[in-house]
Amino acid sequence: MQDTIALLTDIIVDERPVLLRLMYRIIRNKEAAEDAVQSLFEKILRIEQPGLITNPKAYLYRLASNLAIDHARRIGRQDDVQDSIHDLLWLEDDKPSAEQYTAAKKQLENIENIIDTMPEPMKTFFYLNRFQGLTQTEIASRHGKSVSIVNRYIHQALERLSCARDK
């Protein structure tokens, strides 16, 4: 069992430049690719049944690819949130009219109030997913919940927020 984890660790050390290039091609961000390579170490330490891995090198490359895709999605979600905030608050010339500013400020206050009044763990799960970029699976494993429960809470939070958008 520990032999497989040690072998995977050795492969990461030996193959680090290749893994970094693979992850960079997917993520398109050098620092994020470095973080993703580092997270490989953390990920292999949490493997529940390492004895079932028949091809450690192939397993590691698949894991690296999946982690890179997750990182790329997380970065994309964070960029989308930033773009949405910018679009909500600013015009093309970066000078919103007084009416637009007031309307955007009111809508933002409504959203903040809805998030503040969400019950736990809905608020935490929503925050981790939408603002920290964690996947439902990551949230579920961190909090000892099932993925379906985390999904349900996030969906309920989004339904509450859709009411603010419609107002």
Side-chain angles (χ1 to χ4, degrees):
M1 175 162 19
Q2 289 298 88
D3 294 336
T4 305
I5 292 174
L7 178 60
L8 288 168
T9 304
D10 291 343
I11 294 171
I12 291 174
V13 171
D14 294 341
E15 301 280 325
R16 188 176 189 290
V18 178
L19 290 167
L20 184 59
R21 282 193 302 274
L22 167 73
M23 294 177 129
Y24 177 76
R25 280 195 312 265
I26 295 169
I27 299 172
R28 304 254 184 237
N29 180 304
K30 184 178 179 184
E31 291 79 21
E34 290 278 353
D35 290 343
V37 170
Q38 187 62 33
S39 67
L40 276 173
F41 287 104
E42 298 167 7
K43 198 76 165 173
I44 64 169
L45 292 176
R46 291 192 308 250
I47 296 173
E48 292 179 11
Q49 296 178 336
L52 297 177
I53 299 171
T54 57
N55 187 339
K57 190 171 184 177
Y59 177 85
L60 185 65
Y61 273 86
R62 173 54 59 194
L63 183 62
S65 176
N66 290 344
L67 281 172
I69 291 167
D70 289 345
H71 272 74
R73 286 179 181 158
R74 185 175 302 126
I75 290 169
R77 281 193 302 267
Q78 290 169 346
D79 290 346
D80 289 347
V81 167
Q82 292 298 323
D83 290 345
S84 296
I85 290 170
H86 185 271
D87 292 346
L88 181 64
L89 297 177
W90 303 106
L91 292 173
E92 289 179 17
D93 63 359
D94 286 340
K95 293 183 182 178
S97 68
E99 295 84 17
Q100 289 171 321
Y101 178 80
T102 304
K105 186 174 179 180
K106 183 177 178 186
Q107 187 176 27
L108 186 58
E109 287 172 359
N110 287 340
I111 291 169
E112 288 173 341
N113 287 334
I114 290 171
I115 292 173
D116 287 342
T117 60
M118 285 180 188
E120 288 296 340
M122 182 189 300
K123 182 185 348 183
T124 300
F125 293 170
F126 176 76
Y127 176 80
L128 291 172
N129 180 253
R130 297 301 171 156
F131 296 107
Q132 296 296 316
L134 297 180
T135 65
Q136 287 89 344
T137 306
E138 292 170 329
I139 296 167
S141 66
R142 281 188 181 188
H143 291 273
K145 304 286 184 190
S146 71
V147 175
S148 63
I149 288 176
V150 171
N151 265 339
R152 189 174 336 139
Y153 278 121
I154 292 171
H155 181 73
Q156 289 172 353
L158 290 171
E159 284 178 351
R160 289 177 182 217
L161 288 170
S162 72
C163 295
R165 184 188 62 210
D166 296 339
K167 289 182 180 180

